[in-house]
Amino acid sequence: MSFKIDTFVSHLKSGGALGSLFECELDAAGQGISGDIAKWHFMCKGVAFPASTITAATVTYMGRALSIPGGREVAQITTSIYNDEGMEIRNYVESWMERLNSQKTNKRDSTFIKILDYTGEMKIRQLKKDGTGKSKEYVFHNVWPSTCPEIAMSWETNEIQKFDVIWEYNYWSSTESGAGAAG
């Protein structure tokens, strides 16, 4: 097989997807937590599409190991967030986590009864370069923050603070691939 650049380029529709063209939306309005989460859309500077892993289960038959599909591995989402001077998103996440399990009392907020009371929904969209919308969207169901890490401070830096939040979720869906659809 000979190498032809034109053949390769012809398979890169619209020049390929750019990692910088994305948006991340968090809908957690049902939590009743104060703070302006609407800024999330702009302050979430990085996120990764989810990994999808099904572990292999080994079954032995007459001395031969056979691999069959096992269970789906649990994954996490990590979002990288710019910190505004009012720390509104960080305060929102910390407040949500406090209501999930209080640092002082080790109790969950009494209004968090059902899973939908204390979880939200996160959407990650790959955007098209021509501005006509999305080419792929993942929806993460029953999302909640499990880690809100430290923010390093130093007199030697003049950069906007960033911090990563790790999110847990029950499952994700994508209409473009049919994954996670009810069945």
Side-chain angles (χ1 to χ4, degrees), residues 3-12:
F3 174 77
K4 293 183 181 176
I5 193 71
D6 292 337
T7 303
F8 171 72
V9 171
S10 71
H11 290 283
L12 265 177

Side-chain angles (χ1 to χ4, degrees), residues 22 51 83 107 141 146 160 175 179:
F22 77 95
N83 201 15
K107 293 181 183 176
H141 304 272
S146 62
I160 294 175
T175 55

Side-chain angles (χ1 to χ4, degrees), residues 26-40 87-102 108-112 115-121 143-146 148 165 167:
L26 179 62
D27 179 7
Q31 289 17 283
I33 300 166
S34 63
D36 188 2
I37 200 65
K39 291 182 180 180
W40 173 270
M87 298 189 175
E88 291 182 36
I89 292 176
R90 185 166 181 95
N91 290 338
Y92 188 93
V93 172
E94 287 177 352
S95 179
W96 191 348
M97 292 178 76
E98 179 67 16
R99 292 183 68 205
L100 287 170
N101 186 305
S102 173
R108 179 171 291 163
D109 185 306
S110 63
T111 63
F112 285 179
I115 289 177
L116 294 178
D117 293 338
Y118 59 84
T119 63
E121 183 177 271
V143 70
W144 55 274
S146 62
C148 186
V165 176
W167 302 87

Side-chain angles (χ1 to χ4, degrees), residues 19 22-24 44-49 77-80 122 124 140:
F22 77 95
E23 61 185 6
C24 186
C44 181
K45 75 171 235 31
V47 66
F49 279 155
I77 309 167
T78 301
T79 53
S80 185
M122 186 181 295
I124 302 172
F140 298 89

